Amino acid sequence: MLAVFVLVVGTFGVGPRVLSSYDSSHRETLTCRVDSVEAYSGRSSSRTGIGGEYALVRVRTSSCGILDMREGVTAENAERIAAELTPGRTYDFSVGAGSLRLERLLQVVKQEPPLYDFSPAA
């Protein structure tokens, strides 16, 4: 029973915070061709009324998969950030190294590697 408790707390409690902290200080650069870009913003809620606002820019690539940019993205600037990326062009993306290594595991819980920054590839 204790092992199950530790596994659940590690997976859903402490684990995401540790991974997020690791990702923000350990990044890798991926060079990828953009297939499509979408800006999302809205409000989530559960049956109990718990929820909050969210905003992200989702970048789909054929070679690097799906990348989500959340840091610094708000409902007010999501469309502007998405417009900075042109489908068909190649960019250098700065992504979280830990999440990139755990990408297959994170896909099970529908979590994409975090995208922190991008610039046109040279």
Side-chain angles (χ1 to χ4, degrees):
M1 184 68 111
L2 180 60
V4 171
F5 175 75
V6 169
L7 181 66
V8 169
V9 169
T11 302
F12 298 105
V14 178
R17 290 183 192 165
V18 170
L19 184 59
S20 177
S21 176
Y22 183 85
D23 279 346
S24 30
S25 61
H26 296 81
R27 299 182 185 179
E28 287 189 24
T29 301
L30 300 176
T31 301
C32 317
R33 183 177 176 272
V34 172
D35 294 333
S36 68
V37 183
E38 298 168 280
Y40 295 98
S41 63
R43 186 163 182 76
S44 65
S45 64
S46 66
R47 288 183 295 150
T48 60
I50 298 172
E53 291 184 27
Y54 68 89
L56 68 97
V57 173
R58 176 160 289 165
V59 181
R60 294 180 191 274
T61 73
S62 52
S63 56
C64 301
I66 298 172
L67 304 171
D68 283 345
M69 181 176 225
R70 287 187 169 89
E71 188 170 300
V73 178
T74 64
E76 292 78 28
N77 69 7
E79 291 287 339
R80 180 186 56 76
I81 293 171
E84 293 176 20
L85 292 160
T86 305
R89 294 201 54 205
T90 302
Y91 294 86
D92 291 329
F93 294 103
S94 175
V95 298
S99 292
L100 193 59
R101 287 188 180 85
L102 297 173
E103 186 173 13
R104 287 189 177 171
L105 177 63
L106 293 174
Q107 286 176 343
V108 172
V109 292
K110 301 200 183 292
Q111 194 67 30
E112 308 302 337
L115 168 59
Y116 292 101
D117 197 11
F118 58 87
S119 61

